[in-house]
mmCIF file of all heavy atoms in Angstrom:
data_model
loop_
_atom_site.group_PDB
_atom_site.id
_atom_site.type_symbol
_atom_site.label_atom_id
_atom_site.label_comp_id
_atom_site.label_asym_id
_atom_site.label_seq_id
_atom_site.Cartn_x
_atom_site.Cartn_y
_atom_site.Cartn_z
ATOM 1 N N ILE A 1490 10.549 -31.551 -16.679
ATOM 2 C CA ILE A 1490 9.319 -31.135 -16.006
ATOM 3 C C ILE A 1490 8.330 -30.695 -17.082
ATOM 4 O O ILE A 1490 8.653 -29.867 -17.926
ATOM 5 C CB ILE A 1490 9.585 -29.986 -15.012
ATOM 6 C CG1 ILE A 1490 10.524 -30.471 -13.913
ATOM 7 C CG2 ILE A 1490 8.273 -29.453 -14.436
ATOM 8 C CD1 ILE A 1490 10.945 -29.388 -12.935
ATOM 9 N N GLN A 1491 7.135 -31.254 -17.046
ATOM 10 C CA GLN A 1491 6.112 -30.914 -18.032
ATOM 11 C C GLN A 1491 5.067 -29.997 -17.415
ATOM 12 O O GLN A 1491 4.605 -30.233 -16.290
ATOM 13 C CB GLN A 1491 5.419 -32.175 -18.543
ATOM 14 C CG GLN A 1491 6.343 -33.086 -19.309
ATOM 15 C CD GLN A 1491 5.607 -34.335 -19.770
ATOM 16 O OE1 GLN A 1491 4.636 -34.751 -19.169
ATOM 17 N NE2 GLN A 1491 6.097 -34.915 -20.844
ATOM 18 N N ARG A 1492 4.707 -28.963 -18.168
ATOM 19 C CA ARG A 1492 3.633 -28.073 -17.724
ATOM 20 C C ARG A 1492 2.304 -28.729 -18.084
ATOM 21 O O ARG A 1492 2.061 -29.076 -19.227
ATOM 22 C CB ARG A 1492 3.756 -26.711 -18.388
ATOM 23 C CG ARG A 1492 2.683 -25.764 -17.915
ATOM 24 C CD ARG A 1492 2.852 -24.343 -18.371
ATOM 25 N NE ARG A 1492 3.577 -24.198 -19.602
ATOM 26 C CZ ARG A 1492 3.901 -23.030 -20.137
ATOM 27 N NH1 ARG A 1492 3.574 -21.922 -19.541
ATOM 28 N NH2 ARG A 1492 4.557 -22.979 -21.272
ATOM 29 N N VAL A 1493 1.452 -28.894 -17.093
ATOM 30 C CA VAL A 1493 0.129 -29.484 -17.286
ATOM 31 C C VAL A 1493 -0.890 -28.391 -17.593
ATOM 32 O O VAL A 1493 -1.733 -28.539 -18.475
ATOM 33 C CB VAL A 1493 -0.298 -30.290 -16.035
ATOM 34 C CG1 VAL A 1493 -1.703 -30.826 -16.167
ATOM 35 C CG2 VAL A 1493 0.703 -31.412 -15.764
ATOM 36 N N SER A 1494 -0.802 -27.278 -16.851
ATOM 37 C CA SER A 1494 -1.685 -26.139 -17.086
ATOM 38 C C SER A 1494 -0.999 -24.888 -16.558
ATOM 39 O O SER A 1494 -0.008 -24.966 -15.827
ATOM 40 C CB SER A 1494 -3.044 -26.345 -16.401
ATOM 41 O OG SER A 1494 -2.885 -26.368 -14.998
ATOM 42 N N SER A 1495 -1.554 -23.743 -16.945
ATOM 43 C CA SER A 1495 -0.977 -22.470 -16.525
ATOM 44 C C SER A 1495 -2.095 -21.447 -16.392
ATOM 45 O O SER A 1495 -3.028 -21.446 -17.192
ATOM 46 C CB SER A 1495 0.050 -22.001 -17.556
ATOM 47 O OG SER A 1495 0.676 -20.815 -17.132
ATOM 48 N N ARG A 1496 -1.954 -20.598 -15.377
ATOM 49 C CA ARG A 1496 -2.922 -19.512 -15.243
ATOM 50 C C ARG A 1496 -2.191 -18.251 -14.788
ATOM 51 O O ARG A 1496 -1.292 -18.313 -13.936
ATOM 52 C CB ARG A 1496 -4.051 -19.873 -14.294
ATOM 53 C CG ARG A 1496 -3.662 -19.970 -12.846
ATOM 54 C CD ARG A 1496 -4.853 -20.372 -11.953
ATOM 55 N NE ARG A 1496 -4.452 -20.425 -10.576
ATOM 56 C CZ ARG A 1496 -4.601 -19.430 -9.698
ATOM 57 N NH1 ARG A 1496 -5.181 -18.313 -10.059
ATOM 58 N NH2 ARG A 1496 -4.181 -19.553 -8.455
ATOM 59 N N GLU A 1497 -2.575 -17.128 -15.369
ATOM 60 C CA GLU A 1497 -2.006 -15.853 -14.980
ATOM 61 C C GLU A 1497 -2.672 -15.405 -13.686
ATOM 62 O O GLU A 1497 -3.896 -15.394 -13.580
ATOM 63 C CB GLU A 1497 -2.244 -14.822 -16.079
ATOM 64 C CG GLU A 1497 -1.563 -13.505 -15.821
ATOM 65 C CD GLU A 1497 -1.756 -12.535 -16.972
ATOM 66 O OE1 GLU A 1497 -1.115 -12.736 -18.023
ATOM 67 O OE2 GLU A 1497 -2.553 -11.592 -16.807
ATOM 68 N N VAL A 1498 -1.859 -15.029 -12.698
ATOM 69 C CA VAL A 1498 -2.412 -14.603 -11.418
ATOM 70 C C VAL A 1498 -2.205 -13.113 -11.153
ATOM 71 O O VAL A 1498 -2.833 -12.552 -10.256
ATOM 72 C CB VAL A 1498 -1.857 -15.441 -10.241
ATOM 73 C CG1 VAL A 1498 -2.299 -16.879 -10.360
ATOM 74 C CG2 VAL A 1498 -0.353 -15.338 -10.144
ATOM 75 N N TYR A 1499 -1.336 -12.452 -11.945
ATOM 76 C CA TYR A 1499 -1.082 -11.033 -11.751
ATOM 77 C C TYR A 1499 -0.439 -10.461 -13.001
ATOM 78 O O TYR A 1499 0.322 -11.148 -13.690
ATOM 79 C CB TYR A 1499 -0.159 -10.814 -10.544
ATOM 80 C CG TYR A 1499 0.168 -9.367 -10.308
ATOM 81 C CD1 TYR A 1499 -0.753 -8.518 -9.714
ATOM 82 C CD2 TYR A 1499 1.393 -8.839 -10.695
ATOM 83 C CE1 TYR A 1499 -0.455 -7.171 -9.512
ATOM 84 C CE2 TYR A 1499 1.699 -7.509 -10.488
ATOM 85 C CZ TYR A 1499 0.760 -6.671 -9.897
ATOM 86 O OH TYR A 1499 1.056 -5.349 -9.706
ATOM 87 N N ARG A 1500 -0.735 -9.184 -13.275
ATOM 88 C CA ARG A 1500 -0.128 -8.491 -14.421
ATOM 89 C C ARG A 1500 -0.030 -7.003 -14.095
ATOM 90 O O ARG A 1500 -0.932 -6.429 -13.515
ATOM 91 C CB ARG A 1500 -1.001 -8.689 -15.655
ATOM 92 C CG ARG A 1500 -0.598 -7.861 -16.863
ATOM 93 C CD ARG A 1500 -1.558 -8.056 -18.025
ATOM 94 N NE ARG A 1500 -1.465 -9.397 -18.545
ATOM 95 C CZ ARG A 1500 -0.710 -9.760 -19.584
ATOM 96 N NH1 ARG A 1500 0.004 -8.866 -20.216
ATOM 97 N NH2 ARG A 1500 -0.691 -11.008 -19.988
ATOM 98 N N ASN A 1501 1.107 -6.396 -14.484
ATOM 99 C CA ASN A 1501 1.232 -4.941 -14.463
ATOM 100 C C ASN A 1501 2.062 -4.532 -15.677
ATOM 101 O O ASN A 1501 2.311 -5.361 -16.555
ATOM 102 C CB ASN A 1501 1.801 -4.426 -13.122
ATOM 103 C CG ASN A 1501 3.229 -4.849 -12.857
ATOM 104 O OD1 ASN A 1501 4.022 -5.087 -13.775
ATOM 105 N ND2 ASN A 1501 3.591 -4.923 -11.586
ATOM 106 N N ASN A 1502 2.516 -3.284 -15.734
ATOM 107 C CA ASN A 1502 3.247 -2.803 -16.914
ATOM 108 C C ASN A 1502 4.642 -3.391 -17.064
ATOM 109 O O ASN A 1502 5.267 -3.222 -18.097
ATOM 110 C CB ASN A 1502 3.357 -1.274 -16.884
ATOM 111 C CG ASN A 1502 2.038 -0.600 -17.157
ATOM 112 O OD1 ASN A 1502 1.126 -1.208 -17.717
ATOM 113 N ND2 ASN A 1502 1.915 0.651 -16.753
ATOM 114 N N TRP A 1503 5.150 -4.066 -16.017
ATOM 115 C CA TRP A 1503 6.523 -4.562 -16.059
ATOM 116 C C TRP A 1503 6.634 -6.072 -16.042
ATOM 117 O O TRP A 1503 7.669 -6.610 -16.398
ATOM 118 C CB TRP A 1503 7.316 -3.998 -14.884
ATOM 119 C CG TRP A 1503 7.358 -2.513 -14.901
ATOM 120 C CD1 TRP A 1503 8.219 -1.724 -15.610
ATOM 121 C CD2 TRP A 1503 6.486 -1.632 -14.214
ATOM 122 N NE1 TRP A 1503 7.928 -0.411 -15.396
ATOM 123 C CE2 TRP A 1503 6.856 -0.322 -14.546
ATOM 124 C CE3 TRP A 1503 5.402 -1.825 -13.355
ATOM 125 C CZ2 TRP A 1503 6.208 0.800 -14.053
ATOM 126 C CZ3 TRP A 1503 4.751 -0.703 -12.852
ATOM 127 C CH2 TRP A 1503 5.163 0.577 -13.206
ATOM 128 N N MET A 1504 5.562 -6.770 -15.611
ATOM 129 C CA MET A 1504 5.691 -8.223 -15.468
ATOM 130 C C MET A 1504 4.329 -8.892 -15.393
ATOM 131 O O MET A 1504 3.311 -8.237 -15.188
ATOM 132 C CB MET A 1504 6.470 -8.557 -14.199
ATOM 133 C CG MET A 1504 5.725 -8.176 -12.945
ATOM 134 S SD MET A 1504 6.698 -8.592 -11.491
ATOM 135 C CE MET A 1504 5.478 -8.421 -10.234
ATOM 136 N N THR A 1505 4.371 -10.203 -15.551
ATOM 137 C CA THR A 1505 3.214 -11.032 -15.242
ATOM 138 C C THR A 1505 3.693 -12.124 -14.293
ATOM 139 O O THR A 1505 4.881 -12.477 -14.276
ATOM 140 C CB THR A 1505 2.585 -11.679 -16.492
ATOM 141 O OG1 THR A 1505 3.550 -12.511 -17.128
ATOM 142 C CG2 THR A 1505 2.081 -10.632 -17.472
#
Side-chain angles (χ1 to χ4, degrees):
I1490 297 175
Q1491 295 179 334
R1492 182 172 27 184
V1493 176
S1494 65
S1495 183
R1496 70 181 181 95
E1497 186 177 286
V1498 295
Y1499 179 77
R1500 172 183 293 265
N1501 66 27
N1502 288 340
W1503 300 277
M1504 67 180 193
T1505 60

